[in-house]
Amino acid sequence: MQLGARLRALRRAAGISREEAAHPLRGSESKISRMELGRVGFKERDIADLLTLYGVQDEEVRRELLDFAREANAPSWWQPYGDVLDTWFQTYLDFEQAAELIRTYEVQFVPGLLQTEAYARAVISLGLHRSAPAEVDRRTSLRMERKQLLARPDAPKLWVVLDEAVLHRPIGGRAVLREQVAALLELSESPGVQLQVMPFSSGGHAAAGGAFSILRFPYQELSDVVYVEHLTGGLYVDKREEVDRYSAAIGRLFIEAAPLSETPAILTRVLAELDD
């Protein structure tokens, strides 16, 4: 998906239609569409021809994108979990792996990248209460493996605003929530994670519409992507004017939420309440 999105951005910048791009490949418009959506394998010769058509002459950029083509044809880390992984979420995992900055607002759950195993199992079980325990185990293992992203040397920076309700909702029970809040307290001291809390006392705020994430990539030609998850799937927004509205909303959230410096005290206070 990362390579496909970059190819789409380069095509649009060159003012070339999908039909025009398909001509030198002796392919169809649908082939270009599938390539840009990451739904088909990439042939290096096709990529080289498209880069020439799009006017990409910089040898370093061409080499980088051809390297991406080779990597894109390799199995993704999540493929062993394909039996329990929804297709619409595979796209998000690819975006997440490629991002350099992830900004998130959550109103109900701790974000997946910050969940403890027990908390993740409890969240997953909410949506799979009729499923076999084996599926819950598989999905929990997937979520724990996904967290390894934050341990990479080139891990994306994660900036999270949590609604205070998340810290008081006993998902999995009081003990599970306590373990999760303690993990958040530890993570709040990590240089790669910035965690703020939107307190009840703030009243209404800029993101009254619900949870969302904004992903930014280390490539100039790629715009930010907004991800909004709902009950049966996920919505991806990349139109500039819509992304700008979400960016403005989360920017206001960073201002309206309790300052970063207050996060440890807030989490410590919640832990004390859970110990009572």
Side-chain angles (χ1 to χ4, degrees), residues 158-276:
L158 182 62
W159 195 338
V160 176
V161 176
L162 284 182
D163 192 277
E164 187 177 352
V166 174
L167 303 177
H168 297 282
R169 184 172 290 112
I171 304 294
R174 196 178 183 90
V176 170
L177 178 60
R178 192 199 184 285
E179 179 189 40
Q180 178 64 75
V181 175
L184 290 176
L185 178 58
E186 182 177 349
L187 286 163
S188 69
E189 299 174 358
S190 170
V193 177
Q194 292 184 286
L195 178 62
Q196 291 179 264
V197 176
M198 178 63 68
F200 292 135
S201 58
S202 294
H205 52 73
F212 63 92
S213 296
I214 307 175
L215 298 95
R216 176 165 294 170
F217 308 96
Y219 312 108
Q220 185 175 1
E221 68 270 21
L222 286 188
S223 63
D224 290 358
V225 172
V226 176
Y227 172 69
V228 182
E229 190 170 323
H230 52 81
L231 188 60
T232 58
L235 173 67
Y236 298 91
V237 178
D238 63 359
K239 291 184 178 179
R240 181 63 179 269
E241 60 273 18
E242 295 182 36
V243 172
D244 286 348
R245 290 188 65 180
Y246 277 98
S247 296
I250 205 161
R252 292 196 299 273
L253 282 178
F254 294 151
I255 296 171
E256 295 168 3
L260 285 164
S261 59
E262 294 182 12
T263 299
I266 294 172
L267 296 176
T268 299
R269 184 172 66 250
V270 173
L271 284 174
E273 294 171 358
L274 289 169
D275 284 336
D276 287 343

Side-chain angles (χ1 to χ4, degrees), residues 18 25-26 29 37 40 52 65 93 99 108 139 143 147-148 162 173 199 257-258 265 273:
R18 291 195 187 97
L25 304 187
R26 296 181 176 84
E29 181 180 351
L37 292 171
V40 67
T52 299
L65 289 170
L93 293 180
Q108 186 170 4
R139 289 179 180 269
R143 190 160 300 180
K147 289 175 59 176
Q148 298 306 309
L162 284 182
E273 294 171 358

Side-chain angles (χ1 to χ4, degrees), residues 96-102 113 149-150 152 154-158 192:
E96 191 175 72
Q97 291 291 310
E100 66 174 2
L101 171 64
I102 303 172
L113 286 174
L149 172 69
L150 296 181
R152 286 186 348 199
D154 62 339
K157 183 177 180 180
L158 182 62

